[in-house]
Amino acid sequence: MIENLFEYEFLRNTFFTGLLVGIIAPLLGTFIVVRRLSLIADALSHVTLAGIAFGLLLEKKYTIGFLTPFYTGMGFSVIGSIFIEKLRSVYKAYQELAIPIILSGGVGLSVIFISLANGFNTDLYNYLFGSVSAVSRNDLYSILAISIVVIVILTLFYKELFTLSFDEEHAVVTGIHAKRIHFLFILLTALVIAASIRIVGVLLVSALMTLPVAASIRIAKGFKQTIILSIIFGEISVIIGLVSGYYLEIPPGGTIVLTSILILLLVIAFKRLHVSYAEKKVIQ
Amino acid sequence: MSESLVSMKNVSYSYETTKALIDINFEIKKGAFIGLVGPNGGGKTTLIKLLLGLAKNQKGSIELFGTKINKFKDWNKIGFVSQKANSFNKGFPATVYEVVSMGLTAKVGYFKFLSKADRRQIETAVNQVGMLDYLHQNIGDLSGGQQQRVFIARSLVSNPELLILDEPTVGVDTENVRKFYDLLHNLNEKQNISLLLVTHDTGTMTHHATDIVCLNKTLHFHGKPTEFTNLSDRELSNIYGHPLNVVTHNH
Ligand SMILES: Nc1ncnc2c1ncn2[C@@H]1O[C@H](COP(=O)(O)OP(=O)(O)O)[C@@H](O)[C@H]1O
Ligand SMILES: [Mg+2]
């Protein structure tokens, strides 16, 4: 793949997109994991699927150039995120209820749009599991723009988001506007999901947001370190996953996620060894 | 006459079905160390929530630093350690330094980063509570008493004039409770921080507080610690609804 990378534009697009997604998915994922919102990412990815199916339907029936499945997916994801926030404030005592409601809604809509478009095709398959060949130059530019927006906003609101994630009551007492920051955060989540789906696919996007974090949280000291390690693990997974997916002719979603799981297992084993070694030292 | 930091006049508060506070008149003067005691469910946490704007004022008037609470903006003048502070997500990957830095988030403001002076301020606050050796340890790896100190540092870092603590010594062992009171005493005497402390350690607290307030829906007692220890058993059991022996109540 490395030598083909310079030869074929689609591979280059995929590779750069993968590198971008390998940064922003674990970056945002760290906040998602510590706020125990991992399942929200899943719910949103299924809403995004509905948007993509809607876009594919539009493509098939009409020719509206600018409304590609990528953009309709992103639009649905953003709308879904707004619904989740609304539902979470309606069901204050059962905030997790928002997840099955939004998730099933997304799947229901997807089924309808897919059958209206007369069933499955390779495009849809690529969106479900990711693809090494589906990224156009326009997609790459859009994802680059999203990545810049996400990184800039997260840097600007880092301390507020961090403070809110740790202890919402205390943050509110000191005068932080919890509602607005929440809203911003869920919007960013929607954008990152839409961007990542090109590479890892709908079904596995939440894995790329959470598995690298699950690994780094075991060994990192502090929040910043957790973020940095998560991004490193995310990048390793994306690179190994893309290259092996290309050679094995497997959708990269599968290989990326399996690489993440392998890293996670290695980290857990490493931690075990480390702890038992330290205990032995204490005993001696 | 010293400045009034908190003043509540004829304040009542009800949850949907329960009346939690009835006609409370209450004041905190600058320099005071107030021990707030009373039975469980007596409304202590509710009173604090009202002061902090976490619960909406329904009836009566509340003033903070001479300003009506709905106009009050200087929230960093008030530090708060919640009753729930210790029930945070123990797996949260944040170092002591990072947790204490959160106390500056609102004060520094949106779109700004922590300055060098802010960083020094964080280390000073951590040092004040004697946790400097743990600066870069994860908060989840510390003992309950140490975590409590870190949360106090988080409240101190913005240089508050009033520190409110809701049952901070629950789950802390006797030796550390003693050190904890020494710390509070020091903050009050040396740094002139006013304190409102909710606690059940009535015995220990009477040695340190300047005033004791006893709350069970209404204010039952407001006076000096010596007056509180001199209350008859009958008066105390009237307040608490069950017998309570203050002097030997020493955990
Ligand atoms: N969120 C709430 N909703 C309904 N009732 C509440 C709530 N919080 C407290 N209460 C009730 O208000 C009363 C006072 O509670 P609280 O202020 O927590 O007392 P304390 O802190 O002195 O133990 C209790 O009867 C309690 O059951
Ligand atoms: Mg309470």
Side-chain angles (χ1 to χ4, degrees):
Chain A
M1 183 180 188
I2 306 301
E3 64 272 21
N4 294 352
L5 196 61
F6 301 98
E7 212 169 309
Y8 300 113
E9 191 195 331
F10 73 89
L11 280 183
R12 239 176 6 241
N13 293 342
T14 306
F15 196 73
F16 288 136
T17 303
L19 291 182
L20 289 171
V21 165
I23 296 172
I24 57 174
L27 170 62
L28 201 78
T30 309
F31 290 96
I32 290 183
V33 168
V34 298
R35 303 181 71 180
R36 304 188 190 282
L37 294 179
S38 306
L39 289 170
I40 280 197
D42 240 344
L44 277 181
S45 69
H46 287 79
V47 175
T48 314
L49 175 64
I52 287 166
F54 181 66
L56 289 172
L57 176 66
L58 282 185
E59 262 185 352
K60 198 156 180 181
K61 304 272 169 181
Y62 318 95
T63 38
I64 309 173
F66 60 95
L67 268 185
T68 63
F70 177 74
Y71 290 115
T72 50
M74 196 157 77
F76 271 58
S77 185
V78 168
I79 293 168
S81 70
I82 295 169
F83 268 113
I84 284 186
E85 272 308 287
K86 281 270 167 294
L87 282 173
R88 274 159 61 86
S89 62
V90 171
Y91 289 103
K92 276 214 170 66
Y94 296 98
Q95 296 203 335
E96 71 281 2
L97 254 184
I99 293 163
I101 295 173
I102 293 292
L103 193 142
S104 55
V107 174
L109 278 176
S110 308
V111 170
I112 291 173
F113 291 137
I114 290 168
S115 67
L116 282 179
N118 299 324
F120 272 87
N121 55 21
T122 41
D123 268 355
L124 191 61
Y125 184 80
N126 287 342
Y127 279 111
L128 282 179
F129 301 109
S131 158
V132 285
S133 57
V135 184
S136 70
R137 185 181 288 199
N138 269 338
D139 288 346
L140 171 62
Y141 288 155
S142 309
I143 289 167
L144 178 65
I146 289 176
S147 305
I148 291 171
V149 167
V150 167
I151 291 170
V152 167
I153 292 186
L154 278 184
T155 313
L156 282 179
F157 289 95
Y158 172 81
K159 65 182 192 314
E160 282 83 9
L161 264 171
F162 176 53
T163 305
L164 262 182
S165 308
F166 183 74
D167 183 346
E168 178 151 347
E169 186 183 57
H170 190 267
V172 170
V173 168
T174 59
I176 292 171
H177 299 97
K179 270 218 164 116
R180 290 177 217 175
I181 305 276
H182 272 309
F183 188 67
L184 193 66
F185 178 76
I186 197 100
L187 273 183
L188 288 184
T189 309
L191 287 179
V192 169
I193 287 172
S196 309
I197 275 176
R198 262 322 201 182
I199 300 293
V200 274
V202 168
L203 298 177
L204 297 170
V205 64
S206 67
L208 187 60
M209 301 179 93
T210 53
L211 292 181
V213 185
S216 82
I217 221 168
R218 298 287 304 166
I219 48 177
K221 282 255 180 291
F223 197 70
K224 282 214 171 115
Q225 221 185 74
T226 305
I227 290 182
I228 292 166
L229 267 179
S230 303
I231 292 175
I232 293 172
F233 291 153
E235 287 292 351
I236 296 175
S237 308
V238 165
I239 293 169
I240 295 181
L242 277 179
V243 173
S244 59
Y246 175 73
Y247 281 115
L248 300 171
E249 295 180 27
I250 297 171
T255 48
I256 289 173
V257 167
L258 281 184
T259 314
S260 311
I261 289 180
L262 206 66
I263 292 175
L264 180 62
L265 292 178
L266 285 175
V267 166
I268 291 173
F270 168 80
K271 178 93 191 229
R272 274 271 157 76
L273 277 176
H274 200 73
V275 169
S276 61
Y277 176 74
E279 275 168 3
K280 248 187 217 141
K281 248 171 121 177
V282 170
I283 291 166
Q284 284 166 1
Chain B
M1 200 70 198
S2 53
E3 185 192 349
S4 167
L5 305 189
V6 170
S7 147
M8 291 179 123
K9 293 208 179 87
N10 308 106
V11 171
S12 300
Y13 188 88
S14 323
Y15 293 100
E16 272 150 38
T17 51
T18 28
K19 279 198 166 137
L21 297 174
I22 300 166
D23 203 26
I24 306 287
N25 289 287
F26 174 64
E27 192 168 33
I28 303 178
K29 291 239 164 71
K30 189 155 181 60
F33 181 166
I34 295 179
L36 178 57
V37 298
N40 280 326
K44 304 180 295 295
T45 300
T46 305
L47 183 117
I48 287 175
K49 279 196 199 157
L50 276 171
L51 289 184
L52 293 168
L54 287 171
K56 211 166 146 44
N57 185 16
Q58 296 169 339
K59 197 153 170 277
S61 93
I62 304 176
E63 287 187 6
L64 303 171
F65 296 84
T67 308
K68 285 243 173 301
I69 191 165
N70 53 350
K71 300 248 164 60
F72 186 72
K73 291 270 152 38
D74 285 330
W75 288 106
N76 55 53
K77 283 189 175 168
I78 302 177
F80 172 50
V81 180
S82 160
Q83 188 177 8
K84 291 182 295 186
N86 253 353
S87 59
F88 69 100
N89 165 12
K90 297 287 186 296
F92 197 108
T95 63
V96 168
Y97 178 91
E98 286 178 321
V99 171
V100 175
S101 78
M102 295 180 201
L104 283 176
T105 301
K107 192 177 187 184
V108 170
Y110 291 111
F111 306 111
K112 294 202 191 86
F113 299 97
L114 296 183
S115 67
K116 261 226 176 82
D118 293 331
R119 286 166 203 286
R120 264 201 305 277
Q121 184 75 29
I122 293 168
E123 287 182 17
T124 309
V126 174
N127 191 25
Q128 248 175 327
V129 299
M131 289 296 293
L132 208 50
D133 289 344
Y134 301 87
L135 196 60
H136 298 292
Q137 296 276 329
N138 276 343
I139 177 102
D141 297 339
L142 305 178
S143 75
Q146 290 173 323
Q147 287 167 356
Q148 205 56 262
R149 285 168 172 266
V150 174
F151 292 126
I152 292 177
R154 177 179 63 172
S155 303
L156 288 177
V157 72
S158 59
N159 283 325
E161 292 179 36
L162 170 64
L163 185 58
I164 299 177
L165 304 118
D166 195 354
E167 303 200 23
T169 52
V170 171
V172 178
D173 60 84
T174 326
E175 168 64 9
N176 281 307
V177 167
R178 202 181 51 73
K179 284 195 200 157
F180 180 77
Y181 276 100
D182 290 342
L183 168 65
L184 292 187
H185 197 85
N186 190 20
L187 291 175
N188 183 238
E189 295 260 296
K190 302 251 163 63
Q191 308 191 38
N192 203 21
I193 296 176
S194 314
L195 296 172
L196 175 62
L197 171 69
V198 175
T199 181
H200 292 293
D201 315 314
T202 36
T204 327
M205 190 190 49
T206 45
H207 298 305
H208 296 280
T210 59
D211 298 81
I212 306 270
V213 172
C214 192
L215 180 68
N216 190 5
K217 289 202 165 72
T218 59
L219 272 193
H220 282 263
F221 174 84
H222 189 165
K224 297 289 152 203
T226 46
E227 295 168 343
F228 183 70
T229 39
N230 286 337
L231 285 181
S232 69
D233 287 352
R234 177 194 290 264
E235 286 167 304
L236 276 177
S237 40
N238 269 345
I239 298 170
Y240 274 83
H242 61 80
L244 175 105
N245 194 335
V246 179
V247 186
T248 55
H249 188 84
N250 228 333
H251 288 277

